[in-house]
Amino acid sequence: MLSRVKALPRFAAAIAVAAALVFGTTQALAGSPCTPLPPHSCKYYPQSGVDCVGFCVTNGYPYGGECLTGLDCCLCLEK
């Protein structure tokens, strides 16, 4: 019985760490860094015709943007 009482803080700490990891993972996967605009194929520029700098400036982002080739989308810069 005493060993169970001693193990309780370790168990609680393990649960807290697991909860923190699950929360961090869900937050990391929750949103895309891409600008919420129609999908495009910037990684195939110039064949696709989508240049992220021009695309972002046209859509109201004065600082342009860059292509995130892994996600195949433009990251438009606000500041």
Side-chain angles (χ1 to χ4, degrees):
M1 178 72 180
L2 186 59
S3 63
R4 289 185 183 175
V5 172
K6 288 182 178 180
L8 188 60
R10 289 182 185 164
F11 180 71
I15 293 295
V17 168
L21 289 173
V22 168
F23 177 76
T25 302
T26 57
Q27 290 300 308
L29 298 175
S32 170
C34 297
T35 303
L37 297 170
H40 32 69
S41 299
C42 63
K43 69 180 177 181
Y44 298 111
Y45 180 78
Q47 294 87 1
S48 67
V50 177
D51 173 34
C52 283
V53 175
F55 183 78
C56 291
V57 169
T58 302
N59 285 288
Y61 294 89
Y63 299 104
E66 59 186 41
C67 182
L68 297 177
T69 55
L71 298 174
D72 192 22
C73 66
C74 291
L75 175 64
C76 294
L77 306 173
E78 296 182 19
K79 295 181 181 180

